[in-house]
Structure formats: C-alpha cells, structure tokens
Amino acid sequence: MKTNIIIFDGECNLCNGVVGWLLKLVPVESFEFVPFQSPIGQRMLSQHGFPTKELTTVILFDEDGPHTHSDGFLKIVSKIPKWKLVATLLAFIPRIIRDTIYRLASRNRVKWFGKSKTCTVSF
C-alpha cells in the first residue's frame, strides 16, 4: 500500500477546502487523496473496519497504519515542513480536548460549510 493516503469526504466543502489547501502546500507525491465515496475509498474503509456509509473523520493511512480525528489531522499537518512546529505544539493539547473540538466541527461541517456536488480530486 502507498503511504500517506488521506481518505476524506469528497462532498464536504470544508474537506474539499482542506484538500485544496494541502495541494497548494505540498508536493503532489506527498499525499494521495481518496474520497470515501470512491471505489478505492470504499474498499479501504471496508478492509480496515471503518463504516462505509458516512465518514465522520479524515483518515490518514501511513506507514504506521490509520490515524483518525485530531491525531490524523495533526499527523497530516506534521508532514508539511512549514507546519510541523504548529502540529507539534497542538499535539500538547490533551487528545480529549482536541477530539471534542474535532468531533464538534465534524458533526456540523456540512451545516456550517455546505455540501458540494463536485470533489476537489476526480475519482
């Protein structure tokens, strides 16, 4: 399996915005972006025991396996040289606090940012 695969919601405007931000910051080979709605995304979720009907967290698959919620997001950010220090500092915030904020944003992301009929990456 390729390393640094990011599974995200291809219909979520917030998720698409973050993917667009990452595409501007990192070399194209740094991450592979896979919408969970795609056949590859569905297969990966199923193979790793994640739900396939709805995605409530971004998932980073890297050499250490899957990372979800705030840990996944911070792992992604830490792989961007200019943002590594920010990720390191945010990691000092206890996970329970980070994940509470992450889950709040995840539950409300479509209400706050809307849903898109197109995805940042094609599948």
Side-chain angles (χ1 to χ4, degrees):
M1 175 173 72
K2 225 177 168 182
T3 58
N4 297 326
I5 298 172
I6 298 173
I7 306 286
F8 70 102
D9 184 346
E11 295 177 350
C12 167
N13 284 337
L14 175 62
C15 302
N16 277 307
V18 171
V19 169
W21 174 73
L22 289 168
L23 287 168
K24 290 178 186 172
L25 286 177
V26 298
V28 72
E29 66 275 357
S30 297
F31 296 106
E32 181 178 345
F33 298 96
V34 177
F36 95 90
Q37 295 91 341
S38 70
I40 295 170
Q42 290 289 295
R43 184 171 56 250
M44 288 184 71
L45 291 172
S46 181
Q47 286 173 343
H48 294 276
F50 290 101
T52 57
K53 300 280 187 224
E54 180 183 29
L55 191 67
T56 60
T57 178
V58 67
I59 304 170
L60 169 67
F61 289 94
D62 68 6
E63 60 278 354
D64 297 321
H67 307 277
T68 62
H69 298 87
S70 65
D71 282 346
F73 184 74
L74 290 179
K75 271 249 201 223
I76 291 167
V77 173
S78 74
K79 294 178 186 288
I80 305 166
K82 290 182 179 182
W83 286 83
K84 189 174 184 94
L85 178 61
V86 172
T88 301
L89 293 173
L90 289 174
F92 282 107
I93 297 171
R95 181 184 297 146
I96 192 161
I97 295 170
R98 288 186 281 120
D99 279 352
T100 298
I101 295 166
Y102 186 97
R103 285 186 174 100
L104 175 67
S106 177
R107 270 193 309 275
N108 292 290
R109 63 193 160 85
V110 173
K111 182 172 34 172
W112 293 344
F113 297 96
K115 204 170 186 174
S116 178
K117 294 194 186 311
T118 59
C119 181
T120 303
V121 298
S122 57
F123 62 95

